[in-house]
């Protein structure tokens, strides 16, 4: 959170519990926060406020966007190609992932498990 310039006092309380993130354990959240998520560039972008659940644990991922966020953007992800497409004000926006980062994340996640 500190890398984003956020403080714990900005989090809203929540009683949500995650199951299955850490194998065999449940994980309580420390709060939730609504942040603007932006896809595209300065000339053609789409921005939506998304709720994020905040957890204090070691993970290879920094943020996960689930079905509600993808539905809000009306995004279509293609996991094999590491691409996501969504409509913007000037047409289609394509977000392209990085295969090296994806492999690093998967490797780091396996180490943590």
């Amino acid at each position: 959170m500190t890398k984003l310039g956020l403080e714990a006092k900005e989090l809203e309380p929540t009683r949500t519990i995650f199951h299955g993130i850490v194998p065999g354990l449940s994980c309580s959240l420390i709060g939730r926060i609504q942040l603007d998520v932006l896809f595209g560039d300065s000339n053609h972008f789409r921005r939506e406020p998304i709720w994020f659940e905040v957890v204090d644990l070691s993970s290879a991922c920094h943020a996960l966007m689930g079905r509600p966020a993808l539905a809000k953007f009306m995004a279509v992800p293609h996991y094999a190609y590491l691409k996501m497409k969504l409509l913007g004000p000037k047409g289609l926006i394509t977000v392209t992932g990085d295969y090296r980062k994806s492999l690093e994340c998967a490797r780091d996640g396996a180490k943590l498990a």
Side-chain angles (χ1 to χ4, degrees):
M1 285 186 359
T2 53
K3 288 182 181 180
L4 291 173
L6 302 173
E7 297 181 20
K9 66 182 179 184
E10 295 177 72
L11 298 177
E12 288 188 9
T14 182
R15 292 191 297 188
T16 303
I17 296 175
F18 284 153
H19 299 282
I21 291 181
V22 178
L25 300 175
S26 296
C27 184
S28 296
L29 281 63
I30 58 174
R32 69 184 200 141
I33 191 165
Q34 190 175 41
L35 300 172
D36 280 345
V37 174
L38 186 137
F39 291 111
D41 59 30
S42 60
N43 296 320
H44 180 53
F45 63 90
R46 172 99 180 269
R47 177 179 44 215
E48 296 285 347
I50 303 291
W51 282 100
F52 287 90
E53 310 289 341
V54 181
V55 182
D56 185 19
L57 57 85
S58 295
S59 172
C61 300
H62 298 289
L64 299 174
M65 286 183 22
R67 287 187 196 131
L70 295 176
K72 192 166 198 176
F73 277 102
M74 294 178 54
V76 178
H78 194 292
Y79 302 107
Y81 293 111
L82 290 182
K83 294 198 183 286
M84 182 172 68
K85 296 188 179 209
L86 57 131
L87 289 176
K90 298 178 183 175
L92 197 63
I93 297 172
T94 301
V95 180
T96 303
D98 182 325
Y99 283 102
R100 287 188 184 129
K101 291 276 186 193
S102 179
L103 290 171
E104 287 175 24
C105 185
R107 185 183 62 239
D108 292 347
K111 287 179 187 175
L112 288 171

